[in-house]
Structures are given as structure tokens and as C-alpha cells.
Amino acid sequence: MDRLSSADVIVLFDVIEHLTDPRATLALCERCLRPGGIIVITTGDFGSVLARLAGTYWRLMTPPQHLWFFTKTSMSRLASSLGLSMEFADHPWKIVPMSLIRFQLRRMLGVRGGSAATGSGRMGVPVNLFDAMRIVLRKPPK
């Protein structure tokens, strides 16, 4: 086993959509994994009903912060191209600060002005719009 192959788990929560070259990053992650290791990713689900209905008003359609938009199928293809398999995919619940909910609703409704997602960040609400996915990729065991 080479020096890079030392991780059992690599976590990329809400990261991959911000990268200029997500494939290169996943390739590096794959090289760093031990055989049988996993990569856990969370990102928006561009194939979700909400994303398709909202179009350019989708809450995660925020270029230039989000450079890439993935579906379960596109993540599976990307993983496969790197020798990884998709072990699991779901749409998890999150605790979302009220300030972020207000900010995203204002942006989606086209309401100008107001502050960014700051303020009452301590109060959160469990939310699942089924438009954010959690993906588990596995490197094959030897």
C-alpha cells in the first residue's frame, strides 16, 4: 500500500459543487482511500422534482458559488469513471437556520434588499425538500 492509500473515509459535505475540477478532486480522494474505503458526499440534486420545477429560481442555483450541478445518475457515472461504485444515495434531513430559510426564500421570490443569511442563526428547523442528496462511493476491496 502506498503512502496515499491511508484513509478509510473521506467526507465532502456541500463541497463538490464549489470545485473547479470535481473529477480531479474525486480522483485524488480515490487514490487516498484504502481498498474498501468510502467517500461520503452531500450536494444538491439537480434531477429532483423541486430543482426541475424551480429552474433558475432553484434555491441551490447560485452561480458563481455553485459551479456544478449533479444528479444521482451523473454522480454514479463520475464515480464509475474513477473505478468507484455508488453504494448508497438518499435525500437526508437537515437542521437549517431560520436566517438561511428567509434568505433563500427572498432570493427565490426575487425580493431585493435585506441582509444575507445572518442573525437568528441559532434557531433551526428540520427540513427535507428532497433536492439535496447524500452519496456514498466505495473503492473496491482488493
Side-chain angles (χ1 to χ4, degrees):
M1 181 178 342
D2 68 44
R3 209 173 58 143
L4 279 179
S5 301
S6 61
D8 291 316
V9 178
I10 298 173
V11 177
L12 299 172
F13 287 169
D14 301 324
V15 169
I16 197 164
E17 65 274 12
H18 298 275
L19 303 172
T20 55
D21 191 346
R23 188 180 195 289
T25 299
L26 281 182
L28 176 61
C29 291
E30 185 277 332
R31 287 194 307 275
C32 292
L33 279 178
R34 289 186 177 132
I38 63 171
I39 303 169
V40 183
I41 298 170
T42 58
T43 189
D45 182 356
F46 193 57
S48 70
V49 171
L50 183 58
R52 288 187 284 153
L53 287 174
T56 58
Y57 295 100
W58 182 39
R59 68 184 185 90
L60 298 175
M61 184 64 68
T62 59
Q65 292 86 10
H66 291 172
L67 304 174
W68 296 93
F69 300 94
F70 298 95
T71 65
K72 183 178 170 185
T73 300
S74 69
M75 286 298 296
S76 181
R77 284 184 187 146
L78 177 57
S80 181
S81 76
L82 296 167
L84 301 165
S85 62
M86 183 182 289
E87 294 284 309
F88 180 80
D90 73 346
H91 296 93
W93 287 81
K94 286 186 175 183
I95 302 298
V96 180
M98 287 300 298
S99 57
L100 181 56
I101 292 171
R102 280 194 305 275
F103 172 78
Q104 288 185 338
L105 282 173
R106 290 175 65 86
R107 189 188 62 76
M108 288 170 62
L109 296 171
V111 176
R112 302 278 184 224
S115 61
T118 58
S120 60
R122 292 183 189 190
M123 189 167 142
V125 177
V127 174
N128 192 344
L129 301 175
F130 298 92
D131 67 341
M133 58 186 171
R134 173 175 45 203
I135 304 287
V136 178
L137 307 177
R138 184 174 300 279
K139 183 173 184 170
K142 282 208 171 191

